[in-house]
Amino acid sequence: MTNSTPRQRARLETEAQITRIGNRMLDDDGLEGVSLRAIARELGIVSSAIYRYVKNRDELLTILIRDAFTAIADEVDEALTRDESVLTVGVTMLAWSRRHPNRWALIYGTPIPDYQAPRDETVVPGTRIMVTLTNLLEKSSAGQISSELPPSHALDPLREGLRELGLEPDDQVIVRSVTVWAALVGLINALRFGQFGPGVELVEDELMRGVVSSLGH
């Protein structure tokens, strides 16, 4: 940070340590293993001191959610610089989910009881891949006509949400984006949460390629 004071730099480093420790706890033991008290012990501070940096467990969850969304989106963006395709988006998300299954569950799994993610902190990082995918599909949509689109009013909520993110795709691109997104996330969820049974972990990438191909990409 330019012109930051030693105290400000120390605070930023402590906040980064909290994120790293929280992620490690999440990776090792799932959400149940994430504890502010345990983080304080690792930092070598008394339990009450942790609240100078994180107000409560909900704020810690928000930090970890924002960090997970940012990490997976960064990897997708980096992969797309080498190969700009829907398949790249899918296989990159899949590979990230294999390395961080508990972080994947945190952002794409079952909602956490009694927790409401603050929109102002999670919407932008949480929609980065969707924005990237929509832009990618818009580039490749020329000449493609869907056989049947839902009534325009049925897409109004999605259209408004995309408009808030600075996108103005036509109805065909909106439907294609939703279809591809649902397929990618749905497949990864089924794989991560064991819905296909044993043995499928050996052919995850092949399944992803097949799903993306079946979508016409």
Side-chain angles (χ1 to χ4, degrees), residues 6-199:
R7 175 173 291 186
Q8 288 170 327
R9 290 193 294 273
R11 181 179 183 88
L12 288 174
E13 175 55 31
T14 299
E15 290 172 349
Q17 287 181 314
I18 290 170
T19 302
R20 287 195 293 269
I21 295 169
N23 275 328
R24 196 197 68 240
M25 290 176 171
L26 180 63
D27 290 339
D28 290 346
D29 300 307
L31 195 55
E32 296 77 11
V34 177
S35 162
L36 280 171
R37 286 179 175 273
I39 291 174
R41 283 197 300 271
E42 286 209 28
L43 290 173
I45 61 178
V46 297
S47 297
S48 59
I50 196 72
Y51 299 106
R52 300 174 190 167
Y53 306 96
V54 183
K55 289 187 295 187
N56 49 44
R57 189 167 184 267
D58 279 4
E59 185 170 326
L60 177 61
L61 290 176
T62 298
I63 290 169
L64 298 180
I65 288 169
R66 188 175 62 234
D67 186 73
F69 276 134
T70 299
I72 189 172
D74 283 349
E75 288 202 12
V76 167
D77 286 348
E78 172 62 24
L80 287 171
T81 64
R82 298 185 293 273
D83 177 37
E84 193 174 67
S85 68
V86 172
L87 180 59
T88 293
V89 176
V91 297
T92 304
M93 292 175 70
L94 177 59
W96 190 90
S97 78
R98 273 196 299 262
R99 296 197 312 276
H100 306 292
N102 290 334
R103 297 190 209 184
W104 175 273
L106 178 67
I107 55 178
Y108 292 120
T110 304
I112 303 167
D114 302 319
Y115 169 78
Q116 183 67 45
R119 286 181 56 82
D120 60 334
E121 295 188 48
T122 57
V123 167
V124 171
T127 55
R128 275 180 56 191
I129 298 178
M130 184 62 170
V131 169
T132 296
L133 182 64
T134 301
N135 284 327
L136 187 61
L137 292 170
E138 192 164 31
K139 289 181 185 178
S140 62
S141 65
Q144 296 193 29
I145 301 174
S146 177
S147 58
E148 182 177 353
L149 291 173
S152 183
H153 72 269
L155 298 177
D156 284 346
L158 294 170
R159 188 180 296 105
E160 181 58 32
L162 291 169
R163 188 175 292 121
E164 289 178 5
L165 298 170
L167 303 177
E168 295 276 357
D170 62 27
D171 288 2
Q172 178 181 302
V173 173
I174 292 174
V175 171
R176 290 178 65 211
S177 298
V178 170
T179 301
V180 173
W181 181 256
L184 300 184
V185 175
L187 174 62
I188 298 172
N189 275 347
L191 293 168
R192 292 286 71 80
F193 304 143
Q195 296 172 2
F196 291 151

